[in-house]
Amino acid sequence: MRKIIVAGNWKMNKTRTETEKFFKELLPLVEGKTVEMVIAAPFTNLETAIRETKGSNIKIAAQNMNPKENGAYTGEVSPLMLKDLGVEYVLVGHSERREYYKESNEFINEKVCSAIDHGLKPILCFGETLEQRESNITEKVVEEQLREGLKGVCEKGILNVVLAYEPVWAIGTGKTATFEQAQEVHAFIRKLLTEMYNEEIANEITIQYGGSMKPENALELMSQNDIDGGLIGGAALEPASFAKLVEAGSSI
Ligand code: PEP
């Protein structure tokens, strides 16, 4: 059985004090939940987040990573530094990084491979823009992002990767893909993984949906055959709201 993962992406939000407060409120709300819970916090809050979640079943993710171990890369953070802190997951290829920082599929692929090599689990994000959807090239775009993002990732390595399909037009816009639209792309991704690897592996890989997921639509989306949880931005910033998303993921 593949894992359902409910992950929050805080983006550039919250101070350390706010991080402490969030987890103090969240922990009692999600105690005993068996679904995998992940919070992707800003670099400055990772240590606090790890300390506050110690002994709980909440895992902490970084929102980005440089593929290199060290060197003259001012402002960057390496996989060794993340591992040293106790980080387990790392977001790679989020559409905001692809768009604002011009990250290419090639660079994203370097990060995926480096994360795996260093024992971190990459959450590889990908998805089409509105223009691409309207031009009927969603599958082509998704296939290219996946084939290039996963280049050189072997059968053993892929089992440490989480995929997050996030249509760009649905991120932070309040516009969610309908469950039919999301399931259609997720089924396509599963089929593609069967071609790239094999059926057994394709059935093992968690494919999250992301894009304006909230407590009101989470259950419907997460109940689809090929949707294995969510990557959530805005609705993951408040403990009560994140707990409701966890509740939805737990009830599947
Ligand atoms: C995201 O940041 O990955 C995301 C899906 O954001 P939102 O839920 O706010 O659309």
Side-chain angles (χ1 to χ4, degrees), residues 19-21 23-24 27 47-54 56:
T19 299
E20 263 177 38
K21 186 169 177 284
F23 286 114
K24 291 216 172 0
L27 257 52
E47 197 164 10
T48 306
I50 286 164
R51 189 185 64 235
E52 290 299 316
T53 52
K54 205 166 182 181
S56 79

Side-chain angles (χ1 to χ4, degrees), residues 9 11 94 96 166 170-174 210-213 231-235:
N9 172 18
K11 313 193 188 198
H94 191 281
E96 286 152 16
E166 299 203 299
I171 299 179
T173 58
S212 298
M213 190 183 265
L231 178 57
I232 303 116

Side-chain angles (χ1 to χ4, degrees), residues 44-64:
T44 48
N45 301 353
L46 289 173
E47 197 164 10
T48 306
I50 286 164
R51 189 185 64 235
E52 290 299 316
T53 52
K54 205 166 182 181
S56 79
N57 50 353
I58 302 172
K59 311 280 197 298
I60 301 302
Q63 296 175 14
N64 185 28

Side-chain angles (χ1 to χ4, degrees), residues 43-127:
F43 289 132
T44 48
N45 301 353
L46 289 173
E47 197 164 10
T48 306
I50 286 164
R51 189 185 64 235
E52 290 299 316
T53 52
K54 205 166 182 181
S56 79
N57 50 353
I58 302 172
K59 311 280 197 298
I60 301 302
Q63 296 175 14
N64 185 28
M65 183 195 90
N66 189 286
K68 301 276 194 304
E69 289 191 342
N70 46 46
Y73 302 99
T74 303
E76 293 292 279
V77 171
S78 86
L80 293 183
M81 296 168 185
L82 297 178
K83 274 301 277 185
D84 183 50
L85 278 177
V87 166
E88 286 194 35
Y89 287 88
V90 57
L91 301 188
V92 175
H94 191 281
S95 65
E96 286 152 16
R97 297 214 57 90
R98 290 178 190 262
E99 187 185 345
Y100 305 144
Y101 305 101
K102 307 289 170 244
E103 290 195 6
S104 64
N105 282 328
E106 198 184 346
F107 189 42
I108 289 163
N109 176 243
E110 267 188 65
K111 296 187 190 199
V112 169
C113 294
S114 171
I116 297 170
D117 287 348
H118 290 90
L120 290 159
K121 295 178 193 150
I123 301 181
L124 172 60
C125 308
F126 55 94

Side-chain angles (χ1 to χ4, degrees), residues 4-5 9 11 38 61 65 103 120 134 142 144-145 147 156 167 179 192 196 198 200 215 226 239 248-249 251:
I4 291 178
I5 304 178
N9 172 18
K11 313 193 188 198
V38 178
M65 183 195 90
E103 290 195 6
L120 290 159
E134 286 174 346
V142 163
E144 196 173 290
Q145 288 173 327
R147 285 196 187 274
K156 191 161 156 259
F179 67 85
L192 186 62
M196 290 169 67
N198 59 51
E200 198 185 332
D226 293 293
S251 64

